[in-house]
Amino acid sequence: MFRRTLMTATAAMALAVAGLGAASAQDTIRLGAAAPQSGPLAGGAAVTHWPAVRLWVQQTNDAGGLQLAGGKAMIELVEYDDQTNPQQAIQAAQRLATQDQVDFMVAPYSTGLNLAAAPIFAQLGYPQITGTAVTNQQPELAAQFPNMFFLLGRTSVMAEDTAKVLVDLREAGSIGNRVALVNVADAFGIEMAGISRAVLESSGFEIVYESSYPLGTQDLAPVIDGAKSAEADAFIAWSYPGDTFALTDQAIVQGFAPGVFFTAVATAFPAYAGRFGEQIEGVLGMGGVNADDPAFQAFAAAHTELAGQGPDFWASATTYATLEVLGQAIEAVGSADRAAVLAHLQDRANSYETILGPVSFNENNDNERYWTVGQWQNGVFRGVSARGRDGAVDVQLFDGWN
């Protein structure tokens, strides 16, 4: 397992000048992070997770650190590659806590890895503020793991809002009633497909093709061929980055262009537009942002300067916001006392200001304000549906692979 310890050059220089080379715990907060740097989800984490985490650390240290009761504390980031492996994610969390003795940990990347690591976070007493986990099990998980918090949304809401987009297009006479529904066979995809199926059928749609494929599947031509042969009016894929790109590529190759083409994770990636260009005008996907919000634009500019690439138009900002929430809770408590920070997060009266806007948690540790559906319009992935967030734009009909 690869370990990496990072502090920004500015932070390191500040410590040296102050003569704090062997800083005490009060002067430094150690932040552990384990997420994919290899394996099937490494590409997604390289866009959504790692740059946002490193940017927050850099900007916090450049501002002098977090304000504790005894003075400023710089952030030291300790990284591990979990190899997109649940067991490695568990072992990394254990090692960060017991060997590296980090004060706090960043939540893992993806729904599946968050669920795998949740018992360890809870057992070791670390807040787990998730920015890339989407599940309908939030009430049960919050009851079982009171230290687990959710910023990205619930499965049922994502499915409902996606179906609502289809309903509106059907009522406008833009699409028919036939839907192809496919999913990656992991915790995220299986749950999303099951709930989506029920919501679509209750909305009067006919599922004419359904398929599930293992995480990391390279050849998805048969999936697109099946959806095309079924003459689907709408295609919905609860996909992860690799399959989002592969499904789109195969749809273009096979000339499969239904009135709705929806893929999930990575549809909002700048690399998606970089790969497919103007052909994706009108493609729908999971999430979204208010791309015109000055806070997001400032985040995007800083992200590009640090990482050499822009953030995605969904979970990058959410991942950054999880650390804004953690940092504000630490400052409110005035120390790195995990139990006190956790109690602050669990207090329903508390709210946190983030680049997404205000974030607060309900009785299920759920933030109820989030984006659900986005669409590529004029080279930008804009949010077209949200719960509690402003800036949604009107949906456009997908007009084929231009």
Side-chain angles (χ1 to χ4, degrees), residues 103-115:
D103 297 293
F104 298 94
M105 287 192 282
V106 182
Y109 175 77
S110 84
T111 302
L113 294 175
N114 267 288
L115 295 180

Side-chain angles (χ1 to χ4, degrees), residues 287-292 296 312-315 317 356 371 381-383 390-391:
V289 295
N290 180 355
D292 298 323
F296 176 78
D312 72 32
F313 290 93
W314 182 31
L356 300 175
W371 291 91
F381 190 78
R382 298 182 177 277
D390 297 326

Side-chain angles (χ1 to χ4, degrees), residues 253-383:
V253 168
Q254 297 189 37
F256 175 53
V260 168
F261 190 87
F262 174 104
T263 45
V265 182
T267 312
F269 284 11
Y272 188 79
R275 169 74 177 275
F276 300 111
E278 295 180 359
Q279 296 181 98
I280 61 171
E281 180 74 9
V283 168
L284 289 159
M286 202 170 184
V289 295
N290 180 355
D292 298 323
D293 183 357
F296 176 78
Q297 292 179 343
F299 166 70
H303 189 289
T304 302
E305 182 178 355
L306 175 70
Q309 63 180 12
D312 72 32
F313 290 93
W314 182 31
S316 288
T318 308
T319 298
Y320 186 93
T322 66
L323 292 167
E324 289 184 298
V325 169
L326 176 62
Q328 289 172 35
I330 292 170
E331 290 190 320
V333 168
S335 75
D337 182 335
R338 283 193 297 278
V341 170
L342 180 57
H344 192 276
L345 292 167
Q346 292 168 332
D347 187 337
R348 311 302 172 206
N350 292 326
S351 181
Y352 308 90
E353 291 301 320
T354 76
I355 56 172
L356 300 175
V359 167
S360 57
F361 300 107
N362 64 17
E363 68 278 4
N364 296 318
N365 289 353
D366 179 23
N367 162 57
E368 296 179 316
R369 306 181 185 99
Y370 47 83
W371 291 91
T372 55
V373 185
Q375 185 176 47
W376 282 101
Q377 298 182 4
N378 298 317
V380 178
F381 190 78
R382 298 182 177 277

Side-chain angles (χ1 to χ4, degrees), residues 37 53 134 176 181 194 196 216 238 289 303 317-318 325 327 353 375 401:
Q37 294 176 349
V53 172
V134 180
L181 180 65
S196 188
W238 299 110
V289 295
H303 189 289
T318 308
V325 169
E353 291 301 320
Q375 185 176 47
W401 307 107

Side-chain angles (χ1 to χ4, degrees), residues 18-342:
L20 297 175
S24 67
Q26 186 177 1
D27 303 306
T28 302
I29 291 177
R30 305 197 82 201
L31 179 67
Q37 294 176 349
S38 61
L41 295 182
V47 175
T48 297
H49 184 87
W50 288 115
V53 172
R54 293 166 185 159
L55 178 60
W56 181 82
V57 171
Q58 175 182 289
Q59 291 186 327
T60 300
N61 285 340
D62 285 351
L66 294 179
Q67 181 64 57
L68 306 184
K72 291 275 192 175
M74 307 298 276
I75 307 298
E76 179 185 358
L77 178 63
V78 183
E79 297 181 5
Y80 283 114
D81 175 13
D82 67 21
Q83 303 169 30
T84 318
N85 184 309
Q87 189 57 42
Q88 290 292 335
I90 293 168
Q91 291 177 5
Q94 291 173 321
R95 185 173 299 183
L96 284 166
T98 60
Q99 295 185 22
D100 298 303
Q101 298 184 344
V102 298
D103 297 293
F104 298 94
M105 287 192 282
V106 182
Y109 175 77
S110 84
T111 302
L113 294 175
N114 267 288
L115 295 180
I120 297 301
F121 271 75
Q123 177 186 334
L124 299 175
Y126 285 83
Q128 184 178 357
I129 311 173
T130 68
T132 56
V134 180
T135 177
N136 230 36
Q137 303 174 47
Q138 288 180 7
E140 296 83 358
L141 288 168
Q144 185 177 4
F145 307 119
N147 63 306
M148 193 174 189
F149 302 85
F150 305 90
L151 263 68
L152 203 60
R154 297 182 62 170
T155 315
S156 58
V157 177
M158 297 289 179
E160 288 166 6
D161 285 10
T162 302
K164 179 64 165 55
V165 169
L166 268 64
V167 167
D168 290 346
L169 290 172
R170 183 182 61 188
E171 291 180 350
S174 300
I175 64 170
N177 217 39
R178 301 166 64 83
V179 178
L181 180 65
V182 308
N183 68 278
V184 60
D186 85 327
F188 160 77
I190 292 169
E191 184 178 356
M192 284 299 316
I195 294 177
S196 188
R197 182 188 311 110
V199 172
L200 287 166
E201 290 178 341
S202 68
S203 299
F205 288 97
E206 178 186 3
I207 309 297
V208 295
Y209 176 77
E210 198 165 359
S211 179
S212 179
Y213 51 85
L215 180 65
T217 299
Q218 299 297 313
D219 183 12
L220 291 169
V223 173
I224 294 298
D225 182 62
K228 183 178 180 181
S229 298
E231 299 181 345
D233 300 305
F235 176 79
I236 296 176
W238 299 110
S239 53
Y240 269 147
D243 28 309
T244 291
F245 278 75
L247 289 166
T248 303
D249 187 61
Q250 281 301 316
I252 293 171
V253 168
Q254 297 189 37
F256 175 53
V260 168
F261 190 87
F262 174 104
T263 45
V265 182
T267 312
F269 284 11
Y272 188 79
R275 169 74 177 275
F276 300 111
E278 295 180 359
Q279 296 181 98
I280 61 171
E281 180 74 9
V283 168
L284 289 159
M286 202 170 184
V289 295
N290 180 355
D292 298 323
D293 183 357
F296 176 78
Q297 292 179 343
F299 166 70
H303 189 289
T304 302
E305 182 178 355
L306 175 70
Q309 63 180 12
D312 72 32
F313 290 93
W314 182 31
S316 288
T318 308
T319 298
Y320 186 93
T322 66
L323 292 167
E324 289 184 298
V325 169
L326 176 62
Q328 289 172 35
I330 292 170
E331 290 190 320
V333 168
S335 75
D337 182 335
R338 283 193 297 278
V341 170
L342 180 57

